[in-house]
Amino acid sequence: MGDIVVLLKPALNPEMIRGTPEGSVDFDYMPLKLSDIDRNAVEEAVRIRDQYLKGSKIYSISVATWGPVAKRDKDIKMAVQEGLAKGVDEAYIVEDDLITPGDQVTTASAIVAVLRKFNIKPDIILAGEATIDGFSGQVAGRVAAKLDLPYVSFARKIDIKGNTLVAERDVEDYVEVVEAPLPAVVSVTREINSPRPPTLIQIRMASRKPQHVVKLSDLSDVVTPKKKLSAARVLAVKRKQVMIEGKTLEETADKLIDALVSEGVIKA
Amino acid sequence: MASSLVVGGSEDDIAEALTIARQLGSVHIVAYGNVNAASLAEYGHIVYHIAQDDPESIFKAVKEIYDQVKPSLVVALTSKNLKDALSRLAGLYDLPMATEVFNVKLSGDQVSYTRGFLSGRALEDDVVPLPAVLLLAARKTPKAQKSQSKGDVKELTVTPSIKVVERRPKERGGVNIEAAEIIVSVGRGFRSKDDLKLAFDLAEVLNAQIGCSRPVAADLKWLSEDHWVGLSGHKVAPKLYMAIGISGAPQHLAGITDAKLVVAINNDKSAPIFKNCDYGVVADLYQFVPVLTKRLRERLHK
Ligand SMILES: Cc1cc2nc3c(=O)[nH]c(=O)nc-3n(C[C@H](O)[C@H](O)[C@H](O)COP(=O)(O)OP(=O)(O)OC[C@H]3O[C@@H](n4cnc5c(N)ncnc54)[C@H](O)[C@@H]3O)c2cc1C
């Protein structure tokens, strides 16, 4: 029986955004965390194993795209550990300053290189529909093409019938039910499940599961980044932040209405 | 000579992508699905058409033409099916790819662009070498004009390995939230679907459309997805946006950066929305919204 692979990205946490005095993103300050939708992907991996592929192993693969590795190592391990606590059996982490800051070309080629090097032959590869930092949703499709596997994107429901994956794809205007032969690559939306937080025992067990750190020199055919990030600036939307208070709710309402009238957005 | 490939499923989308593509010499168009290929031929370029519109078929058709033409740029408008189809092309040839880009500038053998980053809280400016795949942000590029000469239309056929079994249209709430002037938007602060009536009453007085945060449409399904505002929903630009019981997560804020005025009503004075609004009221929406509606009705219609 084949195994399950889930792609987990240690992503920059947008809630912790901070700018430099010049308005650039202060990357050094921003911590990494497991990208939110990847949590749904792990949850789905565990469900699929328990329901359809009993006895198969769940591997996770993470490629560190934000460096320097020495500084980010703790955050990266924390994100990976979360996957292990939720049910991943063994984790692979590609961590190398030669590929940071990374891009999607690098990430996808490194993922494929890990699969080849460690001879992992999954029945299904799961990923989140997009990551919370880049939000471009292209790594899973790249991996599928490189492995010449069918790709099902934006799945919000997955069933497996024998050797066939049946999924509901969430497209803008419609929902599409598709059937793909396994092995396949699937990206999932947040709506596919509600991730359960790991139990204390699971968290404790996670530290004993294998984590393999892989360097660029261990792999072949990894393409180094093509994208040059020339600048990233914090989007400063200046809002007035005026708090409105009255002695009664009526007074508060009237003050708010007065403000809206003087702004010219309503006429009273 | 350099050339480019435009991909799209509607004439409007293709006309926007053509504006960028025409800067690079000869253009080839791959059009899919239910699009009028004869009308597309009036832009003066070769049009390859496939009848299917599933991502795998689009990928296969684009790959076939890509291999023939070897273009410097593949350009389309951002959509879920094109993210799927073109990420495969990008993966196959290790091409750089970016989605929802604007400010596209071609120079020599590279292209630069701007796009949202960090769930819409920042903008990134990137430079990538050609060949590259760019998915444009909608409605930020003017449409290209038709030309005097007419291009040829060629039909393509491909066989995908993924079978489309069924397609169900999504429920529509009949709103076009992107064009709304005033939006009353609801979040998880509402405890039940019935309670949304408070917001509908307010919206009626203000002549507003109803918007919502992701969980209200996606998880709870209290409203159809055309109401959903944010990074993965609709980007809105009203003159007044009222966020009621919405915490102000970055992914929600990403949808309202173009709103002229933002009002927040929330009972938690430390909710992030208060740092991202013009006027804020700390109050229980169940108490405050009915009072606001009543006072507005009295003052607007007396
Ligand atoms: C990749 C990604 C994409 C996403 N895309 C989107 C998107 O497009 N749009 C979007 O909205 N979200 C999106 N999200 C989700 C987003 O992160 C938040 O989870 C979501 O916006 C929260 O919705 P909310 O504010 O309604 O709910 P909550 O965060 O639960 O906030 C509810 C608020 O209501 C307040 N409240 C509770 N009771 C009352 C009361 N009685 N009176 C007044 N106030 C009350 C609370 O104080 C709280 O602030 C995305 C997330 C990810 C990871």
Side-chain angles (χ1 to χ4, degrees):
Chain A
M1 188 191 310
D3 292 316
I4 301 174
V5 165
V6 51
L7 307 180
L8 300 183
K9 181 177 187 185
L12 288 171
N13 182 353
E15 321 237 351
M16 302 289 282
I17 192 168
R18 197 167 78 176
T20 64
E22 297 77 42
S24 315
V25 174
D26 186 353
F27 285 105
D28 287 344
Y29 165 81
M30 288 183 75
L32 306 177
K33 68 162 191 174
L34 177 61
S35 183
D36 295 46
I37 313 176
D38 294 355
R39 217 168 266 145
N40 300 80
V42 189
E43 184 80 20
E44 199 58 15
V46 171
R47 190 189 71 83
I48 289 174
R49 186 213 34 218
D50 293 348
Q51 202 165 336
Y52 305 107
L53 303 174
K54 287 195 188 69
S56 63
K57 237 173 145 170
I58 304 177
Y59 295 95
S60 69
I61 304 180
S62 303
V63 181
T65 49
W66 299 105
V69 166
K71 185 178 163 263
R72 302 286 192 184
D73 187 60
K74 221 171 122 207
D75 280 6
I76 295 166
K77 299 280 164 59
M78 286 277 283
V80 170
Q81 194 104 348
E82 194 175 330
L84 290 166
K86 288 171 71 58
V88 169
D89 296 301
E90 229 173 282
Y92 287 88
I93 309 166
V94 183
E95 247 188 2
D96 200 318
D97 280 329
L98 291 169
I99 54 168
T100 59
D103 66 8
Q104 298 89 349
V105 180
T106 305
T107 302
S109 63
I111 289 164
V112 171
V114 167
L115 291 171
R116 298 222 161 105
K117 164 94 184 178
F118 300 97
N119 199 27
I120 304 169
K121 298 219 162 57
D123 262 351
I124 177 162
I125 299 179
L126 290 158
E129 67 169 283
T131 55
I132 46 166
D133 46 5
F135 204 71
S136 73
Q138 51 173 293
V139 167
R142 287 176 180 271
V143 169
K146 284 175 165 296
L147 296 171
D148 197 20
L149 292 179
Y151 175 43
V152 175
S153 57
F154 305 100
R156 61 171 208 190
K157 187 166 186 285
I158 300 175
D159 282 315
I160 291 178
K161 298 200 173 119
N163 249 339
T164 305
L165 176 118
V166 184
E168 262 186 39
R169 295 186 62 233
D170 187 334
V171 192
E172 283 90 351
D173 299 330
Y174 54 85
V175 173
E176 182 175 89
V177 182
V178 299
E179 287 180 3
L182 290 176
V185 179
V186 186
S187 78
V188 305
T189 71
R190 272 167 75 90
E191 288 72 41
I192 195 162
N193 55 37
S194 323
R196 297 158 296 181
T199 62
L200 267 176
I201 298 175
Q202 283 182 307
I203 293 171
R204 232 176 289 141
M205 297 275 283
S207 57
R208 282 191 246 138
K209 294 181 175 178
Q211 294 190 24
H212 311 281
V213 173
V214 184
K215 296 276 157 210
L216 198 59
S217 54
D218 299 327
L219 300 170
S220 38
D221 299 327
V222 178
V223 185
T224 50
K226 294 192 171 189
K227 181 168 94 179
K228 283 197 262 340
L229 183 80
S230 27
R233 40 215 149 86
V234 176
L235 196 61
V237 181
K238 292 248 170 352
R239 298 278 177 208
K240 295 191 181 80
Q241 299 182 35
V242 177
M243 298 307 286
I244 295 196
E245 264 176 281
K247 282 191 210 67
T248 60
L249 291 175
E250 272 77 15
E251 193 186 319
T252 310
D254 277 329
K255 283 186 174 172
L256 177 60
I257 296 167
D258 291 341
L260 299 183
V261 171
S262 67
E263 293 279 355
V265 294
I266 61 172
K267 286 193 199 77
Chain B
M1 193 174 84
S3 64
S4 55
L5 193 61
V6 165
V7 189
S10 83
E11 183 169 333
D12 283 354
D13 288 5
I14 288 170
E16 276 183 55
L18 271 175
T19 302
I20 307 287
R22 279 180 178 167
Q23 299 170 35
L24 265 178
S26 72
V27 178
H28 299 254
I29 298 174
V30 176
Y32 56 85
N34 189 14
V35 42
N36 185 340
S39 175
L40 287 178
E42 290 171 25
Y43 289 89
H45 312 287
I46 305 178
V47 181
Y48 298 93
H49 177 250
I50 49 162
Q52 294 117 304
D53 60 357
D54 62 283
E56 191 183 5
S57 300
I58 301 167
F59 161 62
K60 290 193 161 176
V62 172
K63 179 185 178 302
E64 189 178 322
I65 307 307
Y66 185 91
D67 290 343
Q68 280 174 33
V69 177
K70 295 264 171 339
S72 300
L73 188 69
V74 179
V75 55
L77 254 63
T78 307
S79 71
K80 287 182 167 178
N81 279 341
L82 284 173
K83 280 188 188 179
D84 178 325
L86 298 182
S87 66
R88 303 191 208 199
L89 182 82
L92 201 59
Y93 299 117
D94 286 327
L95 309 174
M97 164 169 152
T99 58
E100 298 214 49
V101 303
F102 51 97
N103 285 342
V104 176
K105 290 191 185 72
L106 288 147
S107 64
D109 54 2
Q110 57 184 34
V111 59
S112 66
Y113 56 80
T114 303
R115 67 186 296 271
F117 178 49
L118 296 172
S119 291
R121 300 301 301 279
L123 291 174
E124 61 175 295
D125 298 313
D126 299 319
V127 183
V128 296
L130 297 175
V133 179
L134 292 184
L135 272 64
L136 310 177
R139 280 165 286 132
K140 294 211 175 183
T141 314
K143 292 188 186 109
Q145 298 295 312
K146 296 199 167 177
S147 76
Q148 305 292 338
S149 61
K150 227 172 151 207
D152 288 337
V153 177
K154 294 182 182 158
E155 288 295 326
L156 296 177
T157 45
V158 296
T159 4
S161 65
I162 297 177
K163 202 165 98 194
V164 177
V165 185
E166 188 194 340
R167 219 174 241 190
R168 300 192 293 267
K170 280 187 187 168
E171 197 190 311
R172 297 250 133 236
V175 294
N176 179 3
I177 199 87
E178 291 174 10
E181 288 256 293
I182 300 182
I183 298 173
V184 170
S185 201
V186 299
R188 289 280 289 271
F190 287 80
R191 290 192 286 266
S192 78
K193 184 177 175 183
D194 288 343
D195 296 348
L196 297 184
K197 182 166 190 312
L198 297 175
F200 279 100
D201 287 347
L202 176 61
E204 193 198 319
V205 181
L206 285 171
N207 210 355
Q209 303 274 20
I210 294 282
C212 68
S213 64
R214 176 166 180 157
V216 170
D219 303 329
L220 302 167
K221 303 206 184 325
W222 290 346
L223 292 170
S224 61
E225 289 177 16
D226 41 0
H227 296 273
W228 167 354
V229 173
L231 178 69
S232 47
H234 298 278
K235 316 264 182 304
V236 298
K239 60 181 185 187
L240 172 60
Y241 187 84
M242 280 198 160
I244 306 177
I246 293 178
S247 60
Q251 296 88 6
H252 188 79
L253 299 175
I256 63 171
T257 47
D258 291 336
K260 205 177 132 229
L261 203 74
V262 174
V263 171
I265 299 166
N266 197 302
N267 63 0
D268 173 6
K269 66 174 189 319
S270 59
I273 190 77
F274 286 128
K275 293 228 159 21
N276 295 281
C277 73
D278 296 290
Y279 296 97
V281 176
V282 179
D284 185 329
L285 72 91
Y286 285 89
Q287 292 168 6
F288 183 66
V289 174
V291 174
L292 178 64
T293 305
K294 179 167 166 282
R295 286 303 289 146
L296 273 167
R297 189 172 285 133
E298 289 163 6
R299 291 181 56 178
L300 292 180
H301 302 296
K302 73 179 170 209

